[in-house]
Amino acid sequence: MQDPSVHDRRGASVRLVDVSRHFGDVKAVDNISLEIPAGSFFSLLGPSGCGKTTTLRIVSGFESPDSGSVLIGDEDVTSLDARKRPTAMVFQNYALFPHMTVGENVEYGLKVRKMRTQERRSAVLEALRRVDLEAFVDTPVTSLSGGQQQRTALARAVAIEPEVILFDEPLSNLDVALRMQTRLELKSLQHRLGLTSIYVTHDQEEALALSDQIAVMRLGKVVQVGSPQGLYNEPSTSFVASFLGGSNIVTDPSLVHSLTGRDLEKGKALAVRAEHLRIDARSDLKARVVNRQFLGMITELEVELQGTRFKMRSTDDVGDESTIAVSISDHRFVIHDQ
Ligand code: ATP
């Protein structure tokens, strides 16, 4: 993609204060407060049904909260119509009009926002230039590849000059290789434009790779907010430790003592990442190998230690023994919330 530095602009901050949205008995969003700094890439990460999309739709204005408020910059937009908000949404299925050309799709949002006809053509070309699709302006959108359609959706969002871009799992319809490439392009475009981005995903790797900050959500609540490194290295709860980083969670006090030499406090659990369980011939802890998969650089094992199953990832030669001696090289004590 080309460098549109002449037109660079910064996004606005977004603030959610005590926001709730219930559907019948379902607390889709349960008293959430978030501070999203201007120009940052902020992800909402969590399993299906945890309230990510509803939160995003509340920011866009497609959904109204039952209580609480939404601020964009200094403005309280809680009761402002979606079309009047400085936001643009990029959807999982792109939501492109199949009977239109690439250019007409990008132009649509400008028409809705009542931009004058003379200005529209140059705004469309400028938006397409940002995603390297200028040459496709008159091409029927259905003849583009999945990745190009995704970029058309991005151009349509950028064209209305929003201050905040909202992404709802925008890469999930792409194959793995294209997803990785588009991820890099998205990050670089976001960096150049400096727009505030709120990105919904259930894919921890995507969130880690793209985000300045991540809010991990569960059952309509925000469990922890932090940088990718912060969340990965210092998860506060067993849910975050296992969802982000795939840690083993140990709640058996005697096993915790055997592994760490420390007593387990009430309400806590021990989190041990797969790569922190290692083969250690000097250790008295014997683990039974349940499964092993040689993957080249690493071998993935499933082992059983005093009745608890562990995932283990080792760069050592693990041989084909059915029992191995193990110890841990690192661990965290976290709040047990499962
Ligand atoms: P997914 O990744 O599957 O999209 P999500 O984390 O984005 O999940 P939401 O789509 O926000 O979660 O849904 C949160 C909860 O609210 C779910 O239990 C869902 O079924 C429910 N829900 C969402 N929208 C509605 C609606 N319009 N009517 C009724 N229930 C809804």
Side-chain angles (χ1 to χ4, degrees):
M1 292 185 204
Q2 295 168 20
D3 186 351
S5 48
V6 185
H7 296 277
D8 277 3
R9 52 188 186 271
R10 308 305 296 177
S13 63
V14 176
R15 201 140 58 92
L16 275 69
V17 186
D18 300 333
V19 169
S20 290
R21 177 71 168 112
H22 298 183
F23 297 104
D25 291 341
V26 178
K27 293 178 176 173
V29 175
D30 191 6
N31 201 26
I32 279 181
S33 293
L34 285 174
E35 299 260 356
I36 301 172
S40 68
F41 200 112
F42 192 98
S43 291
L44 302 175
L45 173 71
S48 182
C50 71
K52 309 178 292 289
T53 299
T54 306
T55 305
L56 200 69
R57 287 168 59 81
I58 287 171
V59 177
S60 73
F62 295 146
E63 194 78 66
S64 297
D66 297 330
S67 56
S69 39
V70 181
L71 287 93
I72 299 183
D74 292 330
E75 192 185 359
D76 188 328
V77 298
T78 315
S79 22
L80 193 66
D81 187 80
R83 274 175 297 177
K84 299 210 170 112
R85 296 191 187 191
T87 56
M89 185 98 132
V90 179
F91 297 93
Q92 179 174 1
N93 58 6
Y94 319 138
L96 297 169
F97 298 111
H99 59 284
M100 289 185 186
T101 64
V102 170
E104 286 164 350
N105 264 286
V106 176
E107 192 178 9
Y108 180 80
L110 301 174
K111 274 190 189 168
V112 170
R113 293 196 180 223
K114 312 242 185 295
M115 184 187 273
R116 292 216 307 273
T117 316
Q118 311 83 291
E119 292 165 24
R120 286 207 301 261
R121 182 77 180 174
S122 64
V124 167
L125 289 173
E126 170 61 18
L128 288 174
R129 193 176 68 76
R130 289 169 189 270
V131 298
D132 268 352
L133 283 179
E134 214 177 352
F136 293 84
V137 60
D138 295 320
T139 306
V141 76
T142 44
S143 60
L144 298 189
S145 69
Q148 289 169 328
Q149 290 191 15
Q150 206 280 339
R151 276 152 57 202
T152 305
L154 192 57
R156 185 174 59 184
V158 168
I160 64 166
E161 306 226 332
E163 291 180 68
V164 182
I165 297 203
L166 307 168
F167 295 98
D168 193 358
E169 309 236 9
L171 306 184
S172 48
N173 285 345
L174 303 178
D175 66 42
V176 177
L178 200 53
R179 204 181 310 157
M180 300 282 267
Q181 188 201 326
T182 313
R183 194 159 89 187
L184 291 173
E185 289 177 357
L186 198 64
K187 180 77 184 163
S188 113
L189 184 75
Q190 196 272 342
H191 189 69
R192 281 183 280 128
L193 294 180
L195 298 177
T196 310
S197 301
I198 310 181
Y199 191 95
V200 158
T201 183
H202 63 267
D203 182 333
Q204 54 133 336
E205 196 183 293
E206 210 166 277
L208 289 173
L210 283 167
S211 316
D212 297 312
Q213 278 195 295
I214 302 170
V216 181
M217 291 184 66
R218 182 183 189 222
L219 301 172
K221 289 188 181 297
V222 170
V223 190
Q224 192 176 358
V225 181
S227 67
Q229 291 82 356
L231 289 177
Y232 190 75
N233 291 323
E234 300 296 338
S236 60
T237 72
S238 52
F239 174 76
V240 177
S242 56
F243 194 76
L244 230 172
S247 288
N248 299 289
I249 304 299
V250 191
T251 52
D252 173 1
S254 82
L255 181 53
V256 168
H257 197 272
S258 303
L259 286 164
T260 65
R262 287 177 55 186
D263 290 332
L264 184 63
E265 286 172 38
K266 196 166 182 296
K268 294 282 186 85
L270 180 76
V272 182
R273 288 221 300 267
E275 62 273 26
H276 290 151
L277 191 66
R278 61 180 181 194
I279 298 168
D280 180 358
R282 291 165 308 169
S283 171
D284 295 332
L285 284 171
K286 303 283 184 263
R288 184 171 70 85
V289 178
V290 181
N291 271 307
R292 62 159 64 72
Q293 284 192 77
F294 175 66
L295 299 174
M297 281 256 287
I298 57 160
T299 300
E300 277 188 359
L301 299 164
E302 192 183 359
V303 300
E304 193 177 287
L305 194 56
Q306 298 179 12
T308 299
R309 292 268 175 116
F310 284 80
K311 287 167 284 173
M312 185 171 164
R313 209 173 293 132
S314 178
T315 48
D316 297 335
D317 179 6
V318 296
D320 55 5
E321 306 291 322
S322 58
T323 303
I324 51 177
V326 294
S327 64
I328 55 174
S329 57
D330 200 358
H331 64 273
R332 297 283 177 273
F333 282 100
V334 292
I335 295 164
H336 188 47
D337 58 2
Q338 285 176 328

